[in-house]
């Protein structure tokens, strides 16, 4: 039973990871990110049976098998289909429900030239060596 009258506690990340590893939480937001937006990083790190960052200790051998399959799949469409199958399994089992997703936005100006937005991560392509202002 969850006590919804309990006080909200915001803790620093160095404290959080210790508590998470010891499973000292009822409900927690894990706001960690990854350097690349890829199912291997996000799903495997947080949900594979033997992952050290699987703080909820969720373990399903069928999900592990599908994680390995999607990781080895070279065809993006087939890989996407496998990932959605994994997502469905996780949702049906309420394995680690997603409470919210962060989103970012970017603005463009017509006089900024040479910028190519990355498709796989918000963390890449920020050196801007090939960008110039045509103004």
């Amino acid at each position: 039973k969850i006590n919804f009258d309990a006080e909200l506690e915001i803790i620093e990340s160095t404290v959080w990871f210790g508590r998470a590893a010891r499973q000292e939480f009822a409900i927690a937001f894990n706001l960690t990110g990854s350097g690349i937006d890829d199912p291997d990083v996000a799903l495997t790190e947080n949900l594979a049976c033997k992952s050290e960052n699987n703080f909820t200790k969720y373990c399903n051998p069928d999900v592990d098998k599908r994680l390995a399959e999607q990781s080895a799949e070279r065809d993006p469409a087939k890989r996407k289909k496998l990932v959605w199958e994994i997502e469905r399994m996780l949702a049906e089992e309420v394995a680690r429900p997603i409470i919210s997703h962060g989103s970012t936005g970017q603005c463009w100006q017509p006089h900024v030239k040479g910028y190519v937005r990355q498709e796989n991560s918000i963390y890449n392509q920020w050196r801007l060596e090939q960008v110039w202002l045509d103004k």
Side-chain angles (χ1 to χ4, degrees), residues 3 8 21 24 28 38 43-44 49 69 73 82-83 89 99 107 117 125 127 133:
N3 177 5
L8 173 67
E24 293 175 359
D38 185 271
L43 292 175
T44 305
C49 292
E69 287 175 24
E73 181 56 59
L82 288 167
V83 170
M89 293 172 72
I99 297 170
C107 299
R117 184 170 189 255
Q125 229 35 32
R127 294 188 67 171
L133 296 177

Side-chain angles (χ1 to χ4, degrees), residues 15 64 100:
V15 175
D64 271 13
S100 69

Side-chain angles (χ1 to χ4, degrees), residues 109-113 132-135:
Q109 294 292 328
H111 58 272
V112 176
K113 305 293 184 185
W132 73 95
L133 296 177
D134 187 23
K135 188 173 179 179

